[in-house]
Every structure is written in structure tokens, then in C-alpha cells.
Amino acid sequence: MFTLNELNLGIAQIGIDPSKVTIVAVSKTVSIQQIEDAVKAGFTHFGESRVQEAEEKIPYLREKYPHLFWHMIGHLQTNKAKKAVELFDFIQSVDSVRLAEEISKRAQALGKEIKIMLEIKVSEEENKFGIEPEKLCAIIQKTAALPALSVTGLMTIAPLLEDKNKLRPYFRRLKDLSVEVEKLDLPNVRMQFVSMGMSDDFEVALEEGSNLIRLGRMIFGPR
Ligand SMILES: *Cc1c(COP(=O)(O)O)cnc(C)c1O
């Protein structure tokens, strides 16, 4: 397993300041023991993609390691929003106003402030989920107005392409959108995170402006 320090050194080697980059260790399918090893290796942000799996891991790990941050990164159905709000600190995969409204309602009921990111569909053909860039402005205005929720960034999953250089326009698109959103200067909306880049494409994502990478296999090995 790579340690946080080792990954940070790798990031520094591509000319990017690792102190500006958040690494989310994606622990889907990974055992509690392996997650504990990753905690010992320095990781503090973890990502899960299914609510049911998260329920089996997060409460135990939160009790034992209260300093960790948990990110929901998988597609979230509205009927699972309540559970997700209970479990997670960040929900990165918000892709509709309806889901944001449900998260807001559930967070309010729990007296909790939840941080979300909006998932953007940067590639028409390839992404199943996510907000189309043309609709982002309208959606973010509505989301900004919701109580108990703040928008902390944008997230995307790049298409699967052999030539990683071909991903640059998609990553650049998300970075540009985050700059546009920041200019709107909306209450409860801060583009603190540009969440893009996974094990196979994080170097290119960082070069194109990512400051949050989601690494699963890179840290934990093949799933
Ligand atoms: C699984 C997953 C990752 C991590 O993928 P790796 O290729 O293992 O790094 C990142 N983001 C999302 C949304 C995922 O579902």
C-alpha cells in the first residue's frame, strides 16, 4: 500500500504542490482492516460509493477514528439520501435539484450541515450520471438557496480513454466551470474542490486543475 507521504512525493514530482491537493482514498469493496491500514498510512479522507456498504463500515470507523472525513462518490438515489446524510461528511455525487432538496431536508431534520459537490457530465456519450454543463448555472442557483447544505465544489468522472492526453479537454472543462461558478458569488457556494482524477488519470487531472483526486486501486491495489 502506498502511504500518503509517498503519494504526496509523487505529486510534487509532477510539479504540483501536494499541500493543495486532497487525496480521497476510495475504499469501496475494501475491508475495514485495509481501511485501518490506510489510516495508519496517513490517509484521512475516504470515499465510498454504495450507501449499504458504507453503513457496514463508517459507524465503526468513525467511532474509532473520529478525525476522518467520509465522501459519498457513487450515484445516490433519493430514497437513500437520509442514510447518506447520516453517514457522510461530503456527498460528491449530487446530480439534480430534487436530490439536493432531499439532502437538505434530511440534513435539516438531523441538525447537520452537509457539504455537497455537484457531479457534472463532461462527456455527452460516456457519462451516465451528472448535470449537463449548460444546466449547471440554473441548478446551482436553486441549490444555493437550500438550508443545511453548502456547495463545496464540482466533481466529474472522465471517460475511459487509452490516451490520457485526450482527457485534458474534459478536465479543463470542469476546471473552467468551477471558475465560472465562483464568479457567480452565490451564498453557500464556494468552489473549494475540483474533484477529478482517479488511479489511471490523476496526473493529467492535476495538471488540468484538479485539487481533489479519488484513488482506489492506486492505494489499495486491484479490486
Ligand atoms: C471507484 C471510483 C474511484 C476510484 O477508482 P480507481 O480507478 O480505483 O482509482 C473514483 N471515483 C469514483 C466515482 C469511483 O466510483
Side-chain angles (χ1 to χ4, degrees), residues 120 133 136-137 140 151-155 170-186 189-196 208-211:
I120 311 297
L136 175 60
C137 251
I140 212 155
V151 184
T152 59
L154 303 181
M155 183 271 250
Y170 300 110
F171 289 140
R172 213 168 292 158
R173 186 84 200 271
L174 193 74
K175 172 66 185 175
D176 290 348
L177 285 169
S178 80
V179 172
E180 277 177 45
V181 169
E182 195 64 55
K183 281 191 199 139
L184 297 174
D185 198 21
L186 297 167
V189 179
R190 283 281 72 80
M191 291 293 104
Q192 190 187 350
F193 297 112
V194 181
S195 172
M196 55 189 191
E208 297 300 338
S210 165
N211 65 3

Side-chain angles (χ1 to χ4, degrees), residues 19 28 46 50 83 100-101 112 132 144 157 195 202 212:
S19 72
K28 64 186 184 201
F46 288 85
R50 288 173 55 239
K83 212 64 247 175
E101 282 170 348
K112 180 172 177 174
E132 287 158 34
I157 302 171
S195 172
F202 72 94
L212 186 158

Side-chain angles (χ1 to χ4, degrees), residues 36-172:
E36 297 202 61
D37 291 344
V39 174
K40 290 183 187 107
F43 296 98
T44 52
H45 289 260
F46 288 85
E48 287 284 338
S49 59
R50 288 173 55 239
V51 169
Q52 198 183 334
E53 186 181 341
E55 262 188 285
E56 291 160 15
K57 296 173 171 175
I58 297 178
Y60 170 81
L61 289 161
R62 215 188 256 295
E63 170 99 23
K64 200 160 171 187
Y65 308 101
H67 66 290
L68 302 181
F69 299 95
W70 291 93
H71 297 247
M72 172 61 184
I73 59 169
H75 182 65
L76 183 60
Q77 287 166 300
T78 314
N79 63 5
K80 301 243 173 80
K82 176 171 183 282
K83 212 64 247 175
V85 167
E86 285 170 18
L87 291 166
F88 290 96
D89 303 290
F90 292 87
I91 300 178
Q92 294 203 13
S93 43
V94 178
D95 60 357
S96 69
V97 174
R98 193 167 110 79
L99 179 58
E101 282 170 348
E102 188 65 20
I103 290 169
S104 164
K105 188 175 108 187
R106 299 300 183 175
Q108 256 188 304
L110 279 173
K112 180 172 177 174
E113 181 78 22
I114 188 119
K115 295 181 169 75
I116 68 161
M117 298 177 207
L118 296 177
E119 180 172 354
I120 311 297
K121 191 193 295 213
V122 286
S123 149
E124 286 299 320
E125 325 79 58
E126 315 250 0
N127 293 52
K128 245 192 310 180
F129 301 113
I131 295 162
E132 287 158 34
E134 305 73 47
K135 296 184 181 151
L136 175 60
C137 251
I139 288 180
I140 212 155
Q141 312 257 10
K142 288 184 192 139
T143 309
L146 297 171
L149 162 162
S150 58
V151 184
T152 59
L154 303 181
M155 183 271 250
T156 200
I157 302 171
L160 275 174
L161 295 176
E162 204 55 52
D163 179 358
K164 301 305 165 200
N165 277 314
K166 294 216 168 97
L167 296 175
R168 290 184 191 279
Y170 300 110
F171 289 140
R172 213 168 292 158

